[in-house]
Amino acid sequence: MRVFKFGGASVKDAEGVRNVVEVLKKVGHKDTLIIVSAMGKTTNALELVVDHYFNQPEELSNAILELKQFHLQIVEALFGPLSEPMNTRVGELVSELKSFFKHNKSTNYSFVYDQVVGFGELLSTSIINAYLNQVDIPCEWLDARKCVKTDAYYRDANLDWELTQKTINAQVSKNKLVISQGFIGSDDNNFTTTLGREGSDYTAAIFAYALNAESVTIWKDVPGVLNGDPRVFENTKLLNQISYTEAIELAFYGASVIHPKTLQPLQRKEIPLYVRSFLNPEGAGTSVSKGKTLEPHIPCYILKPKQVLIRLSSLDFSFMVEDNISEVFALLYQYQMRVDLIQNSAISFSVCVNNKYDRLEELLQILRSKFKVTVFENVDLYTVRHFDTEALTTIEAKKDKILLEQRAQETIQYVVEQ
């Protein structure tokens, strides 16, 4: 089998869904599994729904109504006079969402988040599945929650690989076109879990690993993997080929084209990954496989905005040693802080983190009781892989605002004030 993944940008509207059909016609769809994200900015809209539930309950109904109307408009554009069955399906899913809010007793934000946000993928795949069948591309809808089994670490769940492989092989029809959802799974109690934002790529890799797939293709609105985000960096170039190891390094440092967890299962079975454009499906794109580290071998630029730099030192000027640092890492894990850079000296320890779960103040309250703490919020973390003199000149133009620099043989990182 082949595994295709289409992200939210590729199915943001009816025209996008029609284009998915054209892509499948051009590249074939026999023995293929399609993983699809939520449509457009639906995940953001559902995050707002969760926020309203906790903080502005009077706005909850309107937010859900907007979500429903957005999907009904796409249904109308795709199906026209034949819209009624899909209107009903959208209505059923929205009613299920409302029912959750009506009966929920949990105050755990992360739990509620996972039960709600996954409706984006359920809606998108239901609509696309129906459309594919209408245009004579027979397709089978599969609930990913029956296949992707995880623990209950909501919003960034950990996979039960053994059980997931068994369920995928039991559920997936091997000789049909199958469509399923990215991003979502379920725990032992069959509550919905999510794999982290942008986790649909990871879902595609999970299915590919379990099915011993021939390849995975991620369809994007860019020609392939570029050596920098063209919205941030000028004169970016296409990377024709990347090794698994190099791609994992780029993903770890924050390259947005490939999810960090995606590559590890593919590497284990040497399943090639292709990143190609849904706007030009016959273009070569980028291949990620065993082979050359990077082709062409040029600097790769990565920006992680809105990070937090935390500097710690002991209250009595004693050394920052293993017991202090291990305590800090335990707290970072407890408060769900993704660590992107660390640096330490004899009496200080600096860490650059992503406060994506908005738990910084909770963490700082604990840290201030144990350490002297200095915090820089909304900093930018720049990483350059395979840097050269020209690349360093580009970044060091910001030298007056550089808070921290860390250099290795292949990689240099800067934490920069905005």
Side-chain angles (χ1 to χ4, degrees):
M1 293 189 75
R2 297 177 304 169
V3 177
F4 288 171
K5 181 260 176 173
F6 289 94
S10 65
V11 293
K12 64 182 180 180
D13 51 25
E15 190 57 38
V17 176
R18 293 189 189 98
N19 187 64
V20 168
V21 172
E22 293 306 309
V23 170
L24 293 175
K25 287 179 178 178
K26 288 178 180 177
V27 302
H29 47 78
K30 183 181 179 182
D31 301 336
T32 301
L33 170 74
I34 305 173
I35 299 297
V36 181
S37 301
M39 291 175 151
K41 301 296 184 182
T42 296
T43 301
N44 292 340
L46 283 161
E47 288 178 337
L48 186 62
V49 167
V50 176
D51 184 68
H52 287 334
Y53 173 71
F54 281 101
N55 301 313
Q56 292 181 288
E58 70 278 5
E59 298 293 333
L60 182 61
S61 293
N62 284 337
I64 294 174
L65 180 60
E66 287 181 15
L67 175 80
K68 181 178 180 180
Q69 289 176 335
F70 170 75
H71 288 88
L72 288 178
Q73 287 170 358
I74 293 175
V75 168
E76 174 64 27
L78 289 173
F79 297 92
L82 303 176
S83 296
E84 192 54 40
M86 271 315 303
N87 288 342
T88 301
R89 175 60 177 153
V90 170
E92 289 171 349
L93 287 168
V94 171
S95 295
E96 189 179 331
L97 174 60
K98 291 179 178 178
S99 179
F100 166 75
F101 286 125
K102 182 178 180 181
H103 296 101
N104 175 59
K105 299 294 190 292
S106 176
T107 58
N108 182 332
Y109 189 97
S110 293
F111 169 78
V112 173
Y113 179 100
D114 276 10
Q115 308 320 300
V116 172
V117 173
F119 276 92
E121 279 70 19
L122 297 173
L123 284 161
S124 66
T125 53
S126 295
I127 292 169
I128 296 167
N129 175 68
Y131 186 69
L132 287 168
N133 281 288
Q134 177 172 288
V135 297
D136 296 323
I137 299 179
C139 186
E140 184 176 293
W141 188 86
L142 174 65
D143 189 337
R145 295 172 297 181
K146 293 182 178 180
C147 299
V148 180
K149 307 303 291 185
T150 74
D151 63 9
Y153 191 72
Y154 297 110
R155 296 186 73 179
D156 199 6
N158 300 293
L159 199 69
D160 182 333
W161 276 101
E162 184 176 351
L163 181 56
T164 295
Q165 288 182 78
K166 289 180 180 177
T167 52
I168 286 176
N169 279 284
Q171 295 282 339
V172 175
S173 299
K174 305 298 192 299
N175 299 311
K176 296 180 180 179
L177 176 64
V178 177
I179 187 169
S180 193
Q181 305 79 38
F183 183 50
I184 62 174
S186 66
D187 62 18
D188 289 343
N189 294 311
N190 290 322
F191 288 117
T192 303
T193 57
T194 63
L195 304 176
R197 281 300 298 263
E198 309 301 330
S200 293
D201 291 359
Y202 185 35
T203 302
I206 291 166
F207 275 93
Y209 182 91
L211 295 167
N212 293 311
E214 171 188 307
S215 63
V216 174
T217 302
I218 298 173
W219 295 96
K220 293 276 191 178
D221 57 357
V222 291
V225 179
L226 305 176
N227 73 324
D229 186 338
R231 296 169 295 184
V232 178
F233 301 100
E234 296 179 354
N235 304 316
T236 55
K237 296 180 175 64
L238 178 67
L239 303 175
N240 303 317
Q241 202 272 334
I242 313 174
S243 70
Y244 291 116
T245 302
E246 181 64 28
I248 288 170
E249 291 280 1
L250 291 172
F252 172 79
Y253 288 115
S256 60
V257 174
I258 305 172
H259 190 273
K261 294 180 182 177
T262 300
L263 295 150
Q264 292 157 346
L266 301 181
Q267 182 186 32
R268 288 201 294 269
K269 290 192 175 180
E270 297 188 3
I271 298 170
L273 170 69
Y274 302 102
V275 182
R276 298 167 65 184
S277 171
F278 60 76
L279 302 173
N280 179 26
E282 293 168 326
T286 301
S287 66
V288 182
S289 60
K290 191 175 181 180
K292 289 184 180 180
T293 300
L294 196 65
E295 172 59 43
H297 196 278
I298 55 177
C300 296
Y301 302 87
I302 302 161
L303 167 64
K304 279 190 172 181
K306 299 180 181 178
Q307 305 293 293
V308 180
L309 178 64
I310 304 172
R311 286 178 175 164
L312 306 174
S313 58
S314 58
L315 294 172
D316 59 0
F317 291 96
S318 59
F319 289 153
M320 291 290 289
V321 291
E322 288 82 356
D323 57 344
N324 306 111
I325 295 172
S326 63
E327 182 180 12
V328 172
F329 272 103
L331 289 168
L332 292 169
Y333 179 80
Q334 180 182 344
Y335 290 98
Q336 297 177 287
M337 295 288 173
R338 164 68 190 272
V339 176
D340 291 315
L341 181 151
I342 59 173
Q343 190 175 91
N344 68 288
S345 66
I347 60 171
S348 69
F349 178 81
S350 298
V351 59
C352 190
V353 299
N354 184 353
N355 182 33
K356 69 176 181 177
Y357 299 122
D358 199 25
R359 303 191 67 184
L360 179 63
E361 288 306 317
E362 295 176 73
L363 171 65
L364 292 177
Q365 186 174 355
I366 303 297
L367 289 175
R368 285 176 175 137
S369 69
K370 301 173 182 291
F371 304 96
K372 181 181 178 181
V373 180
T374 305
V375 181
F376 300 88
E377 295 189 53
N378 292 318
V379 298
D380 291 333
L381 175 59
Y382 286 91
T383 302
V384 187
R385 289 278 294 166
H386 312 293
F387 59 89
D388 56 17
T389 302
E390 183 180 352
L392 295 184
T393 302
T394 301
I395 303 298
E396 289 177 349
K398 305 173 184 292
K399 64 182 179 181
D400 292 341
K401 295 185 176 182
I402 293 175
L403 299 171
L404 185 150
E405 175 182 333
Q406 188 154 275
R407 186 181 302 218
Q409 184 175 359
E410 291 281 349
T411 305
I412 191 163
Q413 294 184 281
Y414 298 93
V415 179
V416 180
E417 282 189 297
Q418 290 185 356

